[in-house]
Amino acid sequence: MATANMATETTTPGHLGDPSYLSHLSSSLNQLRQQACLCDVTVIVDNQRFPAHKAILSCASEYFQSMFTSGFQESTSNEVTVPGTGGSFSQLLEFAYTGYFTLSPTTVAGVLNMACYMHFSQAVEVCANYLSEVKDSITIDDCFEIWSVASNHGSLAELSESFRRHLVRSFNKCAESQSFLEHSSVDFLLECLGDEEIETDTTTEKQILQAVIAWLQFN
């Protein structure tokens, strides 16, 4: 009887699989996209056209999931137009199909902005991790954009604080930027003026005064 039970146990089918299958599936789907094969939607961004599959976009982005399941016109249309830049969307599309994309200090701000807007949550996380490593290589204008985007995205509170502090410490460079005039609030300006990390030699004090006057005139 024990022998019979042992035989039954060893011949019971197991939960088996191929660890490389998901990678193969991702690669195959991306090839279909690149060949515009079996695509059921074309996303138009900044006059550029991107063939894609609604199911893939919906899995990667809450924005597209809502768009394609809402019952409105977009859910049945084979073309949709969305705001943004073609370069940034191209990277997000690559991420949606493969889980990877190419970022650089000059492009990450635009990709993060679009990823937040379209709720590519995992892409946002990758951007945030990358930014923590290359913060010192980001232009001041892009730093202001990243700070603004992160401040309005709940999951990026840590990134927002990091870039706010970075901008305060880089006050001299900030003051020379158009973004300083356009995006600085009164609270941010007061924080800069009261920060002990800002140097207080004669030249810097003159720069601070000039920055305050320029900001007041602009606003």
Side-chain angles (χ1 to χ4, degrees):
M1 191 70 176
T3 302
N5 287 339
M6 183 178 297
T8 301
E9 290 176 3
T10 56
T11 57
T12 300
H15 188 64
L16 307 177
D18 182 351
S20 67
Y21 174 73
L22 289 179
S23 177
H24 170 73
L25 178 64
S26 171
S27 177
S28 297
L29 287 169
N30 196 38
Q31 288 180 7
L32 290 176
R33 173 184 69 85
Q34 293 171 339
Q35 298 165 2
C37 183
L38 300 178
C39 294
D40 53 0
V41 68
T42 297
V43 183
I44 302 172
V45 189
D46 196 25
N47 294 321
Q48 298 184 49
R49 302 172 67 84
F50 299 91
H53 304 87
K54 290 182 178 179
I56 301 299
L57 292 177
S58 297
C59 288
S61 160
E62 293 179 19
Y63 174 89
F64 282 110
Q65 184 178 89
S66 177
M67 175 185 289
F68 296 141
T69 61
S70 63
F72 294 115
Q73 181 179 353
E74 291 84 357
S75 60
T76 57
S77 175
N78 58 8
E79 287 190 358
V80 295
T81 301
V82 300
T85 61
S88 294
F89 184 73
S90 177
Q91 293 298 330
L92 290 175
L93 195 58
E94 186 77 16
F95 185 87
Y97 279 81
T98 69
Y100 295 91
F101 50 7
T102 302
L103 298 175
S104 73
T106 59
T107 63
V108 64
V111 175
L112 175 66
N113 191 4
M114 204 165 189
C116 287
Y117 176 76
M118 294 183 170
H119 295 277
F120 281 84
S121 56
Q122 289 177 289
V124 168
E125 184 176 344
V126 173
C127 286
N129 291 336
Y130 176 74
L131 282 165
S132 66
E133 299 175 359
V134 300
K135 180 171 54 184
D136 292 336
S137 301
I138 306 295
T139 67
I140 290 297
D141 286 332
D142 283 345
C143 282
F144 270 106
E145 180 180 355
I146 291 165
W147 178 43
S148 176
V149 171
S151 297
N152 292 300
H153 199 280
S155 67
L156 296 178
E158 185 176 341
L159 183 68
S160 173
E161 174 64 14
S162 174
F163 269 79
R164 184 186 63 79
R165 292 298 306 155
H166 178 67
L167 287 168
V168 170
R169 291 193 298 268
S170 307
F171 179 80
N172 289 343
K173 291 182 179 179
C174 284
E176 299 172 355
S177 167
Q178 182 68 19
S179 294
F180 171 78
L181 301 178
E182 295 176 351
H183 300 298
S184 296
S185 64
V186 174
D187 290 339
F188 176 72
L189 190 61
L190 290 174
E191 181 179 359
C192 288
L193 298 179
D195 194 279
E196 295 180 356
E197 294 184 35
I198 296 178
E199 295 180 2
T200 56
D201 58 55
T202 304
T203 303
T204 303
E205 288 179 350
K206 181 179 179 180
Q207 290 174 336
I208 292 173
L209 177 60
Q210 290 173 336
V212 171
I213 292 173
W215 184 88
L216 289 171
Q217 290 175 339
F218 183 84
N219 288 277

